[in-house]
């Protein structure tokens, strides 16, 4: 589904991504992990065609995303870290607006999803009056309006309680079950453990590890490999060794 | 087109939903109500006080006094004797004093109006020439009516050879009334006098009352600019938010800029319609001026909306935006020559006027170079829209 080959991104003289290469299979949930400043958000934005890489290839479903972003955008749903919907509008108005922009006229599928995700009781409420968890759900739902094959989520559960996080994780698992490929960035090791099939670990713009969780233990030095959550929670520390 | 339209509708919905914007809409309402009241007070305060000492107290002299009193520019005080009238002029409680001597009515009917009335004026009071002209016109009125009536009766007698006294009186009366009904006092010239610190005072045509133009047009231009700023503030918050990142995955920057500009322009047009309707109702625009005024104000609205939207894309905080709004609004309003006449300010500061859209809008409405100015304003607006598209399209 996604193949990155020697992707680099520079801002002026500063290298934010350095020679990143990996491949993600369709239907996989990949956790993107790393300390702050590792380049996770930049990597996700490059894959989401929101910024072009300085060099390298990004192939999504056989198309070169960097050369022709328009060709792959219909395949991508992007969920930013912030709540990127209009707070002054209702859930319904937001969905209708973003659906219009996505060229989606039939809203039945998304309304069904609202029902499943328990947003229907809040359908006519202004976003600013929703709980943090429900705002996060809407933030993800808007990215699903055009039924994308690839869902890119940049820390989509920041600032919400554990129950809401678990709820969102279960919805995302359902999406993967439906065949969607998911790239998921988070600092929450438990959440990543619950959700992901494979991991992409970054530090200072470099790819330290990419592979399934079974291989991660062999890669992480002692004592950080004693538990899986420690392996993910202390990336910054073991990567410096 | 559908996406651009969706952006426009959404922006209008968001701008209307904002409480701050809803409250701000009270401002033009208060402004129009204010200038209405101000215009009324100005008319009353700007009436020129004159005093008439009517020693004749005849039917004719009283008719003259009554006609003068009807003049909306004059505030007439009638006193019984010359001394009292002179005192009022000397103490500057009246701009001019007029003495109607005994027998004035008879002399007027006899068409002997030369030097019949004595006038006292004071050199420190403006517009006495205009006042004399208006009073003189009313004094000449019965004389002219009488002359016309006498002439008509003479011709009738000559034509018929014989005419009874009753018929002569009847004809005389009819001609007098006809002549009187045709009388319409207008100053022969527009008299402009400089007044310390308050610009130019124009003695108006009494038959054409107008609202205070000194506030209406600059106020309209300033309020439209204020709304352009208020309706662009969202761009600062949105351009740094991830909403635009999300939007640009489905739409092009030019659709985003065009949709939002259309929304703001539509709202400006509604605001403008309010101002134009008021101006039309208050007779500020006549039928001939109206199309030009509407075209100019629409192009002005487009220019400032595009310019302010472009400016908003270069500002990073709402605090700075507030400061910029106040600075641009105050400087452009003060130095555009719309609120304060340009010749009241120093020559160096006058140069600023050429950089203010208010100056060009006002000038194109009043001047004769409207087409190049309007075309220039429209072109500048298009340039600003194009530059905003480039800025909005920067990859974040």
């Amino acid at each position: 589904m996604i193949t990155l080959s020697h992707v680099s991104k520079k801002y002026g003289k500063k290298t934010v991504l350095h020679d990143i290469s990996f491949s993600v299979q369709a239907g996989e949930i990949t956790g993107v992990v790393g300390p702050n400043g590792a380049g996770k958000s930049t990597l996700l934005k490059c894959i989401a065609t929101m910024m072009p890489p300085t060099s390298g290839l990004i192939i999504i479903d056989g198309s070169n995303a960097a050369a022709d972003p328009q060709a792959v955008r219909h395949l991508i749903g992007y969920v930013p870290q912030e709540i990127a919907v209009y707070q002054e509008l209702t859930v319904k108005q937001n969905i209708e607006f973003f659906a219009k922009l996505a060229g989606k006229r039939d809203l039945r599928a998304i309304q069904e999803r609202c029902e499943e995700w328990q947003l229907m009781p809040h359908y006519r409420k202004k976003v600013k009056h929703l709980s943090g968890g429900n705002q996060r759900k809407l933030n993800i739902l808007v990215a699903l309006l055009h039924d994308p094959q690839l869902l890119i989520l940049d820390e989509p559960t920041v600032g919400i309680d554990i129950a809401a996080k678990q709820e969102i994780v279960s919805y995302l698992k359902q999406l993967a079950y439906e065949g969607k490929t998911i790239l998921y960035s988070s600092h929450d090791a438990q959440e990543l453990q619950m959700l992901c099939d494979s991991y992409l670990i970054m530090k200072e713009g470099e790819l330290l590890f990419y592979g399934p969780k079974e291989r991660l233990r062999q890669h992480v030095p002692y004592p950080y490999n004693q538990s899986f959550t420690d392996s993910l929670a202390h990336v910054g520390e073991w990567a410096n060794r | 087109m559908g996406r651009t339209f969706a952006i426009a509708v959404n922006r209008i919905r968001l701008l209307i939903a904002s409480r701050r914007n809803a409250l701000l809409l009270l401002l033009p309402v208060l402004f129009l109500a204010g200038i209405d009241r101000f215009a009324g007070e100005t008319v009353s305060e700007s009436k020129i006080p004159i005093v008439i000492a009517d020693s004749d107290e005849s039917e004719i002299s009283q008719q003259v006094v009554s006609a003068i009193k009807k003049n909306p520019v004059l505030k007439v005080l009638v006193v019984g004797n010359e001394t009292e009238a002179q005192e009022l002029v000397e103490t500057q409680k009246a701009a001019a004093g007029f003495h109607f001597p005994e027998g004035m009515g008879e002399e007027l009917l006899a068409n002997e109006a030369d030097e019949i009335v004595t006038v006292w004026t004071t050199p420190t009071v403006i517009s006495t020439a205009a006042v004399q002209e208006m009073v003189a016109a009313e004094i000449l009125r019965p004389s002219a009516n009488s002359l016309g009536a006498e002439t008509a009766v003479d011709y009738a007698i000559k034509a018929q050879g014989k005419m009874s006294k009753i018929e002569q009186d009847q004809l005389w009366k009819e001609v007098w009334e006809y002549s009187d009904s045709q009388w319409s006092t207008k100053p022969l010239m527009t008299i402009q006098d400089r007044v310390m610190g308050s610009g130019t005072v124009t003695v108006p045509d009494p038959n054409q009352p107008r609202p205070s133009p000194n506030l209406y047009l600059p106020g309209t231009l300033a309020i439209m600019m204020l709304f352009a700023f208020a309706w662009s503030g969202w761009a600062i918050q949105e351009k740094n938010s991830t909403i635009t990142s999300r939007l640009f995955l489905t739409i092009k920057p030019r659709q985003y800029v065009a949709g939002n500009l259309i929304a703001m322009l539509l709202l400006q047009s509604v605001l403008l319609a309010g101002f134009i309707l008021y101006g039309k109702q208050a007779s500020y625009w006549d039928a001939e001026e109206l199309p030009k005024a509407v075209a100019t104000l629409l192009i002005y609205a487009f220019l400032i909306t595009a310019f302010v939207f472009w400016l908003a894309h270069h500002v990073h905080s709402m605090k700075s935006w507030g400061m910029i709004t106040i600075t641009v609004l105050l400087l452009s309003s003060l130095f555009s020559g719309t609120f304060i006449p340009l010749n009241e300010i120093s020559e160096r500061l006058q140069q600023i006027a050429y950089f203010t859209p208010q100056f060009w809008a006002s000038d194109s409405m009043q001047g004769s170079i409207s087409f190049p100015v309007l075309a220039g304003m429209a072109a500048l607006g298009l340039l600003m829209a194009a530059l905003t598209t480039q800025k909005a399209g920067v990859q974040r």
Side-chain angles (χ1 to χ4, degrees):
Chain A
M1 179 72 194
I2 314 167
T3 301
L4 270 74
S5 178
H6 305 291
V7 169
S8 293
K9 176 72 185 174
K10 286 182 182 179
Y11 291 122
K13 287 182 179 173
K14 192 182 175 193
T15 302
V16 186
L17 295 178
H18 180 66
D19 198 26
I20 308 278
S21 298
F22 64 89
S23 278
V24 176
Q25 298 305 308
E28 228 176 72
I29 305 182
T30 304
V32 182
V33 190
N36 288 333
K40 302 187 297 290
S41 292
T42 306
L43 175 69
L44 295 182
K45 282 181 180 172
C46 285
I47 297 171
T49 71
M50 289 162 67
M51 57 171 63
T54 310
S55 61
L57 276 177
I58 299 175
I59 309 291
I60 297 174
D61 204 27
S63 300
N64 185 346
D68 188 7
Q70 293 296 340
V72 295
R73 277 184 178 158
H74 68 283
L75 297 171
I76 303 168
Y78 177 75
V79 182
Q81 192 175 333
E82 297 84 10
I83 308 289
V85 292
Y86 292 103
Q87 297 284 322
E88 289 295 327
L89 301 184
T90 64
V91 172
K92 180 178 183 280
Q93 287 169 333
N94 268 295
I95 285 176
E96 285 173 352
F97 170 63
F98 285 105
K100 249 180 217 166
L101 297 190
K104 194 88 179 168
R105 291 191 177 183
D106 188 357
L107 295 180
R108 275 177 298 183
I110 205 73
Q111 282 168 347
E112 277 171 24
R113 188 87 73 185
C114 279
E115 199 80 63
E116 281 170 33
W117 291 22
Q118 292 165 29
L119 271 177
M120 230 29 190
H122 311 289
Y123 203 57
R124 290 175 192 279
K125 282 185 192 166
K126 282 188 177 179
V127 174
K128 64 180 181 183
H129 296 138
L130 300 185
S131 67
N134 283 332
Q135 289 192 9
R136 289 282 167 192
K137 282 188 219 167
L138 178 64
N139 206 26
I140 299 170
L141 266 179
V142 168
L144 294 169
L145 279 167
H146 57 293
D147 196 23
Q149 289 307 299
L150 169 64
L151 188 60
I152 299 171
L153 302 103
D154 191 0
E155 300 188 37
T157 56
V158 170
I160 57 172
D161 58 61
I162 294 171
K165 271 185 188 180
Q166 284 175 343
E167 209 182 336
I168 287 174
V169 164
S170 70
Y171 295 144
L172 293 176
K173 275 186 172 172
Q174 176 63 29
L175 289 173
Y177 181 74
E178 290 168 18
K180 298 200 188 304
T181 308
I182 297 176
L183 280 180
Y184 189 90
S185 157
S186 175
H187 285 287
D188 188 328
Q190 279 186 334
E191 191 182 278
L192 287 164
Q193 191 185 5
M194 281 192 288
L195 186 66
C196 301
D197 308 314
S198 58
Y199 296 91
L200 198 154
I201 297 176
M202 296 178 71
K203 184 172 180 284
E204 291 172 0
E206 295 195 10
L207 184 62
L208 295 182
F209 172 81
Y210 174 67
K213 64 170 117 180
E214 295 79 23
R215 272 179 46 209
L216 183 62
R217 195 163 187 171
Q218 299 157 16
H219 195 83
V220 177
Y222 179 83
Y224 302 102
N225 60 359
Q226 294 305 297
S227 83
F228 186 75
T229 48
D230 277 355
S231 307
L232 294 177
H234 303 289
V235 171
E237 292 168 38
W238 62 255
N240 282 334
R241 290 195 162 197
Chain B
M1 196 62 197
R3 287 177 174 144
T4 306
F5 183 69
I7 292 275
V9 171
N10 191 56
R11 181 57 55 204
I12 289 173
R13 186 185 279 164
L14 285 164
L15 287 173
I16 290 173
S18 155
R19 272 188 200 168
R20 193 194 64 155
N21 286 340
L23 277 175
L24 203 61
L25 280 172
L26 286 174
L27 185 73
V29 176
L30 291 173
F31 166 71
L32 290 179
I35 59 166
D36 229 4
R37 189 183 157 83
F38 181 82
E41 281 175 5
T42 310
V43 167
S44 160
E45 282 165 14
S46 66
K47 280 188 171 186
I48 302 165
I50 63 166
V51 59
I52 297 173
D54 184 8
S55 303
D56 187 36
E57 290 184 334
S58 64
E59 193 183 339
I60 294 296
S61 73
Q62 281 171 4
Q63 271 182 22
V64 171
V65 170
S66 172
I68 293 169
K69 276 184 173 174
K70 283 178 188 162
N71 190 317
V73 178
L74 301 176
K75 186 178 168 187
V76 182
L77 182 67
V78 182
V79 293
N81 59 68
E82 296 173 62
T83 320
E84 203 179 335
Q86 267 179 308
E87 268 176 23
L88 286 169
V89 175
E90 279 165 11
T91 55
Q92 293 189 14
K93 284 175 183 158
F98 298 88
H99 179 229
F100 294 176
E102 266 182 62
M104 182 184 87
E106 284 175 19
E107 286 190 50
L108 287 178
L109 290 179
N111 301 315
E112 289 170 4
D114 290 349
E115 295 181 6
I116 196 169
V117 173
T118 308
V119 184
W120 305 290
T121 60
T122 165
T124 55
V125 178
I126 60 157
S127 304
T128 46
V131 171
Q132 286 177 44
E133 197 187 331
M134 284 185 274
V135 172
E138 294 301 344
I139 294 167
L140 284 174
R141 186 171 177 169
S143 182
N145 292 344
S146 168
L147 180 62
E150 295 286 351
T151 310
V153 169
D154 285 349
Y155 272 112
I157 292 169
K158 274 181 194 166
Q160 292 181 14
K162 193 181 174 187
M163 201 175 194
S164 71
K165 180 76 172 89
I166 297 170
E167 283 174 329
Q168 285 180 29
D169 288 348
Q170 182 65 29
L171 180 63
W172 193 93
K173 197 180 167 194
E174 277 176 23
V175 175
W176 168 285
E177 282 170 359
Y178 177 78
S179 168
D180 197 61
S181 69
Q182 299 302 305
W183 199 268
S184 175
T185 312
K186 279 186 182 178
L188 293 175
M189 59 197 127
T190 299
I191 297 167
Q192 293 191 331
D193 280 296
R194 306 279 308 149
V195 185
M196 292 293 285
S198 62
T200 303
V201 169
T202 303
V203 175
D205 178 347
N207 299 316
Q208 292 288 322
R210 286 185 159 204
S212 172
N214 287 339
L215 266 184
Y216 172 74
L217 185 58
T220 300
L221 297 176
I223 287 178
M224 284 171 73
M225 183 177 270
L226 174 69
F227 272 88
F229 274 97
W231 284 334
S232 294
W234 60 268
I236 295 157
Q237 293 160 323
E238 202 162 281
K239 81 186 159 74
N240 294 324
S241 80
T242 40
I243 287 185
T244 43
S245 307
R246 174 169 264 173
L247 289 174
F248 290 156
L249 285 176
T250 46
I251 56 164
K252 293 182 173 73
R254 67 180 152 81
Q255 290 175 309
Y256 175 77
V257 168
N260 285 310
L261 270 178
I262 287 169
M264 291 188 287
L265 256 181
L266 279 174
L267 290 175
Q268 281 278 8
S269 303
V270 173
L271 187 67
L272 186 57
F275 282 119
I276 295 278
L277 280 175
Y278 170 84
K280 180 84 174 64
Q281 199 185 9
S283 309
Y284 185 68
W285 313 108
D286 60 31
E288 274 180 29
E289 290 170 327
L290 195 63
K292 191 175 168 186
V294 172
T296 306
L297 287 173
L298 272 175
I299 290 175
Y300 170 78
F302 173 63
L303 171 66
I304 55 166
T305 302
F307 169 74
V308 172
F309 191 38
W310 169 80
L311 196 61
H313 273 79
H314 292 80
V315 178
H316 298 288
S317 81
M318 287 305 284
K319 268 189 184 173
S320 309
W321 190 240
M323 295 292 289
I324 289 168
T325 302
I326 292 168
T327 309
V328 173
L329 193 62
L330 271 180
L331 287 182
S332 63
S333 296
L334 284 176
F335 297 119
S336 62
T338 49
F339 277 108
I340 301 170
L342 279 181
N343 50 17
E344 296 278 321
I345 55 179
S346 78
E347 269 185 39
R348 194 170 287 176
L349 290 174
Q350 283 177 30
Q351 305 300 318
I352 298 174
Y354 295 100
F355 297 97
T356 64
Q358 290 101 317
F359 172 81
W360 293 108
S362 172
D363 191 66
S364 73
M365 265 187 269
Q366 291 158 8
S368 56
I369 47 164
S370 62
F371 180 74
V373 169
L374 292 180
M377 284 168 71
L380 200 57
L382 282 173
L383 176 69
M384 288 299 159
L387 289 173
T388 312
T389 302
Q390 279 195 331
K391 179 79 183 165
V394 170
Q395 295 275 5
R396 291 178 176 82

